[in-house]
Amino acid sequence: HSRGRMPGAPRALCLTRAFHARVPSRVPRRGVRRAPRSVRAAMATDVPRIAVGQMCASSDVEKNLEVVADLCARAKDRGCAMLFLPECFAFIGVKGTDALAVMEPLDGPLLGRYRELAARHRLWLSLGGFAEKGPDRDRRFNAHVIVNDAGEIQASYRKIHLFDVDMGDVNGPVLMESATAAAGETLVTCDSPAGKLGVTVCYDLRFPEMFARLRYELGCEVMLVPSAFTKPTGQAHWETLLRARAIETQSYVVAAAQAGVHSEGRASHGHAMIVDPWGKVIAELDGEETGIAVADVDLGYLKDVRSRIPVETHRRDIASFPVERR
């Protein structure tokens, strides 16, 4: 352990450096738990490459589709197995009720066109927030849909935590998602070429107990946080929260993002990024550009991080502990 230690350097620091130095940039993949045969066959590389996307969606459905088609082509050209798209990738209106006019079931024609893109490019897609037809005509579900490279829906998650926030001058307009959306009630995971996905949407990011269940009960390796963060909350909290979730769960975090001005009174923070299990940002876009950022998902490195700091074995059932108030 002392090999290469600089005189006077703390032993712990030397060990940390050695740990990161010995992890190769590409290692043999060790598989995805409970992955079906079709998913295992889709894993073309030992360390899969993924792309996180960023865009500025609008109420123009055709233009949004064209942008996503371009991002798919870019991801495929970069050798990616999967592209992750932000919340509201297909539509952002001026008012909250605008999405009700375009909501449809997941087997409807609009989502079908995105499924065709996945099949055409032989690319898995994370469609980060779609206006799925809701329980009544006045509400939709904010659905995160995972599509495989044959254009088939592998999983869909309905956003659990709805963004009902009024921060006055700090946050601009009042956003009351529950006025036009119904909350989901089910946690969702999905095996993929990038590993076992923990599927969330945007505001879910602020609820660490959700991510703890996805990691420790459900065995997820890659946490997805497609978002349309407002500029003030994004500037204050976005990267901090993403890195915290990565460190807490020792997982990759993939956060696709909306960026720029969508309409009068509606703008998004951007800064789509991928964070590794050590909490390091390994790919990122700026606050305005439309494009992709690419990184490799090294599950061998993830396992090493988890074994070096075995949080899972150290966890205790805090909820069952008595409380002493003084």
Side-chain angles (χ1 to χ4, degrees), residues 125-178:
L125 294 180
S126 159
L127 302 174
F130 182 77
E132 180 190 3
K133 186 176 180 180
D136 53 61
R137 67 180 184 178
D138 296 323
R139 292 181 299 164
R140 59 184 171 83
F141 292 113
N142 192 343
H144 183 168
V145 184
I146 306 296
V147 178
N148 68 19
D149 60 2
E152 302 163 339
I153 294 177
Q154 288 289 120
S156 64
Y157 160 76
R158 292 168 174 170
K159 185 178 181 183
I160 290 174
H161 301 100
L162 301 183
F163 190 68
D164 289 354
V165 174
D166 177 5
M167 293 178 63
D169 293 338
V170 175
N171 200 43
V174 177
L175 295 173
M176 299 294 291
E177 189 173 15
S178 67

